[in-house]
Amino acid sequence: MIKVAISGVAGRMGLEVLKTVLAAEDTDLCAAIDIYNEGLDAGSLLGGEPLGVKITSNLAEALATSGAEVMVDFTGPSSVTANVVAALNAGVRPVVGTTGMSPEDFDKVSKLAEKMRLGCIIAPNFAIGALLMIKFAAEAAKYFPNVEIIEKHHDQKIDAPSGTAIKTAEKILEQRGDFQQGLELEEEKITGARGGKMPGGLRIHSVRLPGYVAHQEVIFGGVGQTLTIKHDSIARESFMPGVLTAIRAVLRLEGVVYGLENLLFE
Ligand code: NAD
């Protein structure tokens, strides 16, 4: 059994991970961490029987005393890096779904994972459909270099654009080299109307509304035609097979893997 600590267990994603860890045959919940619901049994989050694991806000202590092998983190951009550093320092392998880490954070975590010789998976999207969307978008960019991305999420999402949109843009930019799209000078009547600008003029537009989970359209424009690659996560269960894959895979890795596609494709 793989002993799993869940950080952010009381959140939308944390609850799905809790159900997944309890249901899988080879994973065992050993610690439940959240800044809310401290002292409650983790089972109360699901309205069920006590699980014998109390929710705590003290991550370092929970990792040191629970025998955790893997920490799954779905918290927020302001806490994720400190949580991953704490896990690595405790000899626990992080599986990170939280988005919004800066390039400096990645660098810091990568160096520490290497030094500790521990696996760490950081995945901006665990849904297989979203990973295929990114793969197909990178392929299409060879033929359609003009592209804009529209991502749509629920209105409680803190960071924008989404980690998935940034990752998609990075993969497209790898394919199209120094290509520049759009006008050099544009006049925005309302600041931000044209979205966030990536290198080469690639724009990302972020929509935040209740009702959405996680959705993205990658729109390619060519002569007399457009091509749209679209993915919708309509429920948070969509991320769980990927999270389980990562929990199992991280045990045999050394260093940081950024993106689950590196474990699934080729
Ligand atoms: P949420 O706000 O519902 O849940 C976050 C939880 O973390 C809350 O219960 C909060 O109390 C807790 N928390 C905050 N700071 C903490 C800390 N320092 N220590 C312990 N717990 C802490 O958010 P959510 O919708 O579950 O999303 C969480 C993160 O996951 C976001 O960054 C989101 O973008 C990301 N996300 C990633 C994927 C993916 O596939 N990688 C999918 C969906 C969401």
Side-chain angles (χ1 to χ4, degrees), residues 10-13 34 36 74-75 79 97-99 123-126 157 239:
R12 283 168 289 243
M13 289 297 289
D34 206 294
Y36 291 116
F74 280 99
T75 57
S79 50
T98 312
T99 54
N125 204 314
F126 282 105
K157 183 169 173 61
F239 304 112

Side-chain angles (χ1 to χ4, degrees), residues 124-162:
N125 204 314
F126 282 105
I128 179 83
L131 303 178
L132 287 170
M133 167 184 63
I134 295 172
K135 186 176 162 79
F136 298 154
E139 182 65 19
K142 292 179 192 165
Y143 310 96
F144 286 91
N146 289 283
V147 52
E148 298 209 5
I149 297 170
I150 305 174
E151 56 96 342
K152 305 171 194 174
H153 281 80
H154 60 88
D155 63 347
Q156 300 303 305
K157 183 169 173 61
I158 296 168
D159 53 312
S162 70

